[in-house]
Amino acid sequence: MMLRTFLAISLTLFASAARAETDIIEVTSEGGIQAWVVEEPSIPFIALEIRFRGGTSLDLPGKRGATNLMMGLLEEGSGDMNAQEFQAAREALAASYRFGSHDDTISVSAQFLTETQDAAIDLLRQAIIAPRFDQDALDRVRAQVLANIASEEKRPNSIASSTFYSAAFEDHPYGTDSNGTVETVNALTQEDMFDAHARALTHDRLYVSVVGDITAAEVGPMLDELLGDLPANGPKLPADIAFGLDGGTTVVDYATPQAVAFFGHAGMKRDDPDFFAAYVLNNVLGSGGFESRLMNEVREKRGLTYGIGTYLVPKFHAELLLGSVASSNTTIAEAIAVTKEVWADTAANGITQEELDRAKTYLTGEYPLRFDGNSEIAKIMVGMQMIDLSPDYVLNRNDYIEAVTLEDVNRVAAELLQPDALHFVVVGQPVGLN
Amino acid sequence: MKRFLAALAMLTTTAAAQAEEVTTYTLENGMEVVVIEDHRAPVVVHMVWYKIGSADEPVGSSGVAHFFEHLMFKQTDILESGEFSATVAANGGSDNAFTSYDYTAYFQRIAADRLELMMQMESNRMTNLAITADNIATERNVVLEERNQRTENNPSALAREQFNAAQFQNHRYGVPVIGWKHEMEQLNLDDALAFYDLYYSPNNAVLVVAGDVEPDEVRALAETYYGVIPAEPNLPERIRPQEPPQRAERRITYTDPRVGQPYLIRSYLAPERNPGSQEEAAALVYLARLLGGSPFTSDLGVALQFDSQTALYTNASYDGSSLDTTTFSLVVAPAADVTLSAAEAAMDQVIADFMASDIDPERMNTIRTQLHAAEVYALDDTQGLAHRYGAALTQSLTVADVQAWPEVLQSVTAEDVKAVAAKVFNRDQAVTGWVVADPEDAQ
């Protein structure tokens, strides 16, 4: 009946002068479900974030797109309700449920008013535990997925990223579109949906956070009711895979005025001791908005693009350092050449103390500003759990940033940034590129 | 008023009692100030909204409002080019700006104790920008690439541009916010400075500060930094060319091989929210939800996606936030074996059926509940609240209008919805657009 409260610590962030307080309470329900809770009674609603590790990577051979389609169907009928009855019930509660599927995770995001909490949880439970996968709903959502696939095949950005991932990861799930193909999606059956559901939503891969007008003591029973009946264990996760693409340029001919480039090479694991150095480095290189080197050189000085960005992407089974830029067909070659120069210069010469200091001030100042709403806090907390961080990470995170030295960053720059290994996939009709 | 209370009775009063804490005043130079208190986190959003948007631009200079927004990040008498954003970042904040038909706004999100620095810099660039021809040449390329990215590379955006041009023949809502490419290419320093000198002034601006702040402190700071800037005596009255009466239906077909899924749009001229008169706009919010809000329960969704397999996607949309006449739009993406003309006929049948039958009171209640809940959820988003006030005050609404809006929404009746639908659903005041990859699909 009672939950056990393991730990309740008051987390206070000091960043420049900003001080964000987030009291994270760790609870374990009687049924063994662990969750992080923040009690925030000032607005009468609750945000709930649920994740299952695995995601669309759990699709069986020949069933690509099954997990994606299955997640699209959770809101399309469950228990004794068909799709329309379910949605009418949800709308009457003014609750919102979002079901998402990603490479490595399944996500369920819910928002509901305190006053209709019990009914909102009952209805969400029905969608998660007892989906029907009615044939008419399956066919309807399948048609929507097929239309998405057709649209993605004509979007320059999608063509670029899927070409890149396919070349980098080939047959690994990361190498194919999680929507599936026209062929695999057309072949999916009701049985495949039940199967994908049983594989993807399991206790052993579950992460939960709750923020809002609810006490920690109420959360355990709520979660046992909501998720208690899920299967215990999921299937084996896919193997880790090395980034498999050599340096170079791939041009995909496509008639559109602005060429889109998607580029990258191998990255760094999230639990690597150098991750914070890489994170600071990436901020200076290409993720620091107008202050980044790439934004400054490619946009501010030369006017070659509206935006260029780079991203450290530590997936669960592979690590990448990615970037993207778009420029007219006549100027994309220059944009790419400048990008390569910045990459090579940063690898060879590192960043300056001034850049390091500026990045640290920004990163440590910006961190507490992220905790600015129930859903945002819930999302941050569930993400932390998925990468094995403890609640006190919120307290210590800025210390990790501050501890990064110029020597660290520049050693990591020399190791991580590999100008010759950068591969650019360019979609468009670029002039001066082969 | 009574109906409002009855509707609320379904929900507890704790929710009904919630509202944002707002203080407003006007500085002597005419600058309006709105302070929204939210003390949950030590964060502030500082926004300055100018009552100048793309629909106020001089003829032949389309895109200058948005182009100027970019130039505001260049050098002033005391800031170097890029120093504004660099200073915000160095203080752990983030900043950006946006331009629409009716406004241009600049904002920073930062630790609450940095508010003074933000005001110092923002007030400085209101009148002291020192841009050069070099800035113009480089930044013009940036906005042209922005147009490439948003519009030229996106068939739906190109279609929308053609569509708006057909909808508004005299009003500048028919010209894209980012500008027509051939006019953007000609924008020069003189265009930019003329625009700046006239419109960037305190009597044409609204300051919105939201977050962990005290209204008195904000007022003192605002008087120190913004209050000392003289009002622009020559600020023209905001008179924009209005649409003549539309007397005939307009149709376009946009063909682009990059279109992945054919679809159709029908867009009717519709009234916007006006000062002291928001009832029709509120009724249109209900009309959009009844016809196309949810694919599962709305009339279009039920008829075209459930009772028949005519469409893959349906939607109805209406946004009453607009200075001048706006639009009410319907979208249908037909199923694979359905032609656009069949889909359009099915859509028109739904409208005809809606007009011929009574509105289910249960559905009115559900929408009322959802709109009420949306107000509760909105309290969690301080920047969203700030946006609400900034947009409204630059679109001729008052603070009282903003605060009355949730109640106006709760008071809408089925009769109100029917009356506004009868007024808006006039094909002679509509544009219908088909968007296809191949001319063969346009049938």
Side-chain angles (χ1 to χ4, degrees):
Chain A
M1 185 60 200
M2 280 302 297
L3 59 90
R4 285 164 286 154
T5 301
F6 283 151
L7 179 66
I9 47 173
S10 180
L11 301 172
T12 304
L13 281 174
F14 295 92
S16 39
R19 187 165 136 301
E21 279 188 31
T22 303
D23 293 331
I24 300 178
I25 304 169
E26 287 188 87
V27 304
T28 302
S29 74
E30 207 166 66
I33 298 170
Q34 299 181 349
W36 292 9
V37 181
V38 172
E39 298 176 352
E40 174 54 72
S42 66
I43 306 174
F45 83 97
I46 297 156
L48 168 67
E49 291 290 337
I50 301 170
R51 299 289 181 276
F52 296 93
R53 197 169 153 184
T56 60
S57 292
L58 293 177
D59 280 346
L60 288 164
K63 305 289 185 189
R64 195 59 168 148
T67 308
N68 175 65
L69 183 57
M70 180 274 293
M71 288 304 289
L73 284 165
L74 293 187
E75 60 171 6
E76 294 264 350
S78 45
D80 58 0
M81 298 176 180
N82 67 21
Q84 290 172 289
E85 290 161 346
F86 177 85
Q87 292 292 339
R90 183 192 63 74
E91 288 167 21
L93 294 170
S96 93
Y97 308 138
R98 290 205 171 79
F99 303 99
S101 59
H102 315 278
D103 275 356
D104 292 320
T105 43
I106 291 300
S107 63
V108 179
S109 304
Q111 265 194 179
F112 43 88
L113 301 175
T114 315
E115 67 200 273
T116 54
Q117 177 185 328
D118 292 345
I121 288 291
D122 281 351
L123 195 62
L124 181 59
R125 177 190 182 280
Q126 186 183 294
I128 292 174
I129 305 288
R132 290 170 28 152
F133 303 122
D134 291 336
Q135 189 65 45
D136 62 337
L138 174 57
D139 291 338
R140 185 175 55 252
V141 179
R142 186 203 322 266
Q144 292 164 358
V145 171
L146 290 170
N148 279 347
I149 292 172
S151 295
E152 297 287 295
E153 282 172 353
K154 290 189 167 189
R155 285 185 53 230
N157 289 306
S158 305
I159 299 169
S161 60
S162 66
T163 304
F164 185 93
Y165 278 112
S166 165
F169 297 114
E170 298 183 338
D171 294 336
H172 189 278
Y174 290 166
T176 55
D177 186 344
S178 56
N179 280 328
T181 65
V182 173
E183 190 189 2
T184 62
V185 171
N186 268 322
L188 292 170
T189 64
Q190 262 182 313
E191 197 184 334
D192 294 327
M193 295 298 96
F194 282 109
D195 203 29
H197 178 251
R199 293 163 63 82
L201 287 79
T202 56
H203 269 283
D204 57 335
R205 306 225 164 97
L206 171 65
Y207 303 86
V208 185
S209 66
V210 183
V211 180
D213 185 21
I214 186 170
T215 65
E218 293 169 302
V219 168
M222 181 183 88
L223 295 179
D224 281 341
E225 160 74 15
L226 180 65
L227 302 164
D229 288 340
L230 287 174
N233 297 306
K236 200 165 155 279
L237 294 170
D240 290 354
I241 180 167
F243 181 82
L245 186 54
D246 293 333
T249 305
T250 302
V251 175
V252 181
D253 182 72
Y254 189 69
T256 202
Q258 186 187 54
V260 170
F262 190 90
F263 58 93
H265 58 44
M268 184 181 280
K269 285 186 191 300
R270 178 62 183 75
D271 59 3
D272 191 298
D274 281 327
F275 186 81
F276 283 96
Y279 189 73
V280 173
L281 170 68
N282 183 50
N283 183 264
V284 174
L285 175 68
S287 83
F290 289 103
E291 295 1 287
S292 80
R293 285 183 165 195
L294 285 170
M295 197 70 155
N296 192 39
E297 294 294 331
V298 183
R299 171 173 159 157
E300 293 301 294
K301 284 190 187 166
R302 295 176 178 83
L304 295 172
T305 188
Y306 177 51
I308 180 168
T310 60
Y311 320 91
L312 272 172
V313 184
K315 292 172 179 275
F316 283 106
H317 307 293
E319 308 79 47
L320 304 101
L321 177 52
L322 297 176
S324 65
V325 63
S327 189
S328 294
N329 283 322
T330 50
T331 50
I332 187 73
E334 187 186 353
I336 288 174
V338 173
T339 301
K340 285 180 176 169
E341 279 168 30
V342 170
W343 215 269
D345 175 65
T346 309
N349 304 313
I351 64 170
T352 65
Q353 184 68 46
E354 192 196 340
E355 285 174 313
L356 174 64
D357 293 344
R358 212 168 55 200
K360 281 184 179 180
T361 326
Y362 170 70
L363 291 170
T364 55
E366 169 269 345
Y367 186 62
L369 304 193
R370 296 182 192 177
F371 294 73
D372 80 325
N374 292 354
S375 294
E376 279 65 33
I377 294 170
K379 283 188 184 111
I380 292 169
M381 292 201 307
V382 83
M384 286 169 60
Q385 293 173 66
M386 291 199 75
I387 50 172
D388 286 333
L389 300 176
S390 65
D392 62 3
Y393 174 82
V394 175
L395 266 185
N396 301 328
R397 184 268 193 189
N398 277 355
D399 293 340
Y400 301 141
I401 298 282
E402 292 292 356
V404 171
T405 66
L406 190 62
E407 291 70 36
D408 294 335
V409 179
N410 290 342
R411 174 177 49 79
V412 168
E415 292 164 7
L416 181 64
L417 302 180
Q418 302 291 329
D420 296 336
L422 267 185
H423 195 102
F424 290 79
V425 173
V426 183
V427 177
Q429 295 178 321
V431 176
L433 278 180
N434 295 312
Chain B
M1 225 38 207
K2 222 170 190 174
R3 211 173 305 104
F4 170 53
L5 293 173
L8 282 185
M10 297 184 303
L11 303 161
T12 68
T13 46
T14 49
Q18 298 279 327
E20 63 271 17
E21 296 270 333
V22 179
T23 310
T24 61
Y25 36 83
T26 303
L27 302 181
E28 278 179 20
N29 58 15
M31 188 165 178
E32 292 169 85
V33 184
V34 178
V35 182
I36 305 168
E37 289 178 72
D38 178 356
H39 299 288
R40 291 179 299 156
V43 179
V44 69
V45 177
H46 170 248
M47 307 181 110
V48 172
W49 295 68
Y50 292 94
K51 297 177 188 177
I52 175 76
S54 67
D56 301 290
E57 290 163 342
V59 172
S61 297
S62 66
V64 69
H66 168 258
F67 182 44
F68 200 81
E69 172 218 310
H70 280 236
L71 295 172
M72 280 284 276
F73 293 84
K74 304 302 179 190
Q75 66 273 18
T76 73
D77 59 339
I78 58 168
L79 293 165
E80 290 173 26
S81 191
E83 190 180 348
F84 191 107
S85 293
T87 306
V88 176
N91 282 275
S94 54
D95 70 327
N96 216 326
F98 48 87
T99 307
S100 187
Y101 296 109
D102 299 332
Y103 49 71
T104 309
Y106 302 81
F107 69 94
Q108 303 87 39
R109 198 166 162 276
I110 199 160
D113 65 346
R114 306 301 155 96
L115 177 61
E116 180 167 6
L117 178 62
M118 299 303 106
M119 283 205 193
Q120 195 181 354
M121 293 198 299
E122 193 65 80
S123 62
N124 173 253
R125 70 176 170 178
M126 186 185 287
T127 49
N128 297 298
L129 206 62
I131 47 175
T132 65
D134 278 355
N135 295 136
I136 297 284
T138 310
E139 203 60 29
R140 197 169 47 209
N141 286 334
V142 170
V143 292
L144 283 164
E145 289 295 351
E146 183 176 354
R147 185 183 155 87
N148 279 337
Q149 188 168 325
R150 289 183 190 278
T151 311
E152 304 285 346
N153 254 32
N154 182 343
S156 293
L158 285 169
R160 170 55 71 178
E161 210 170 66
Q162 293 300 307
F163 196 83
N164 288 344
Q167 183 105 53
F168 295 100
Q169 296 188 333
N170 199 47
H171 194 286
R172 295 282 294 206
Y173 289 165
V175 175
V177 171
I178 197 157
W180 295 119
K181 189 175 178 187
H182 69 285
E183 293 187 356
M184 294 169 70
E185 286 166 345
Q186 304 302 320
L187 292 174
N188 58 42
L189 188 59
D190 291 342
D191 295 332
L193 291 177
F195 192 80
Y196 178 59
D197 288 344
L198 200 53
Y199 295 115
Y200 280 67
S201 47
N203 45 331
N204 201 37
V206 179
L207 170 66
V208 185
V209 179
D212 190 17
V213 293
E214 298 298 332
D216 290 349
E217 292 168 26
V218 173
R219 178 171 205 150
L221 289 172
E223 279 170 355
T224 302
Y225 292 103
Y226 295 108
V228 294
I229 303 172
E232 166 61 58
N234 298 320
L235 182 69
E237 206 181 326
R238 203 174 186 188
I239 299 169
R240 309 197 283 191
Q242 300 295 307
E243 280 298 284
Q246 183 181 339
R247 302 183 196 279
E249 183 179 10
R250 298 168 193 155
R251 298 190 68 92
I252 62 166
T253 298
Y254 178 72
T255 307
D256 188 321
R258 297 171 297 171
V259 171
Q261 162 71 44
Y263 60 94
L264 73 93
I265 306 181
R266 167 81 55 73
S267 176
Y268 300 88
L269 292 174
E272 74 284 10
R273 289 167 63 190
N274 282 313
S277 171
Q278 306 185 86
E279 289 75 12
E280 281 195 326
L284 285 165
V285 170
Y286 280 71
L287 181 62
R289 290 189 179 223
L290 287 164
L291 275 180
S294 148
F296 302 94
T297 56
S298 69
D299 288 6
L300 278 171
V302 170
L304 272 56
Q305 295 177 256
F306 283 86
D307 294 350
S308 72
Q309 303 302 307
T310 306
L312 293 175
Y313 173 83
T314 59
N315 190 40
S317 63
Y318 169 76
D319 179 1
S321 299
S322 183
L323 180 54
D324 296 316
T325 297
T326 185
T327 56
F328 184 97
S329 300
L330 305 164
V331 177
V332 176
D337 52 354
V338 177
T339 62
L340 283 165
S341 50
E344 187 177 336
M347 179 184 84
D348 281 322
Q349 189 59 50
V350 170
I351 296 172
D353 291 347
F354 175 85
M355 295 309 296
S357 50
D358 291 333
I359 299 172
D360 178 357
E362 272 308 301
R363 296 194 58 212
M364 289 296 292
N365 278 338
T366 296
I367 294 170
R368 235 173 249 134
T369 304
Q370 289 182 314
L371 291 169
H372 178 76
E375 290 301 309
V376 176
Y377 297 134
L379 293 173
D380 198 35
D381 177 9
T382 312
Q383 187 157 344
L385 290 174
H387 198 284
R388 221 183 244 196
Y389 282 89
L393 295 187
T394 51
Q395 291 173 322
S396 85
L397 297 177
T398 64
V399 169
D401 291 321
V402 176
Q403 294 178 341
W405 178 240
E407 285 187 30
V408 175
L409 283 171
Q410 290 295 320
S411 307
V412 171
T413 66
E415 294 70 41
D416 297 336
V417 177
K418 271 294 180 62
V420 81
K423 179 173 164 180
V424 165
F425 289 143
N426 172 0
R427 290 281 286 272
D428 284 343
Q429 297 198 2
V431 183
T432 306
W434 289 4
V435 181
V436 294
D438 188 300
E440 284 188 9
D441 297 334
Q443 49 183 295

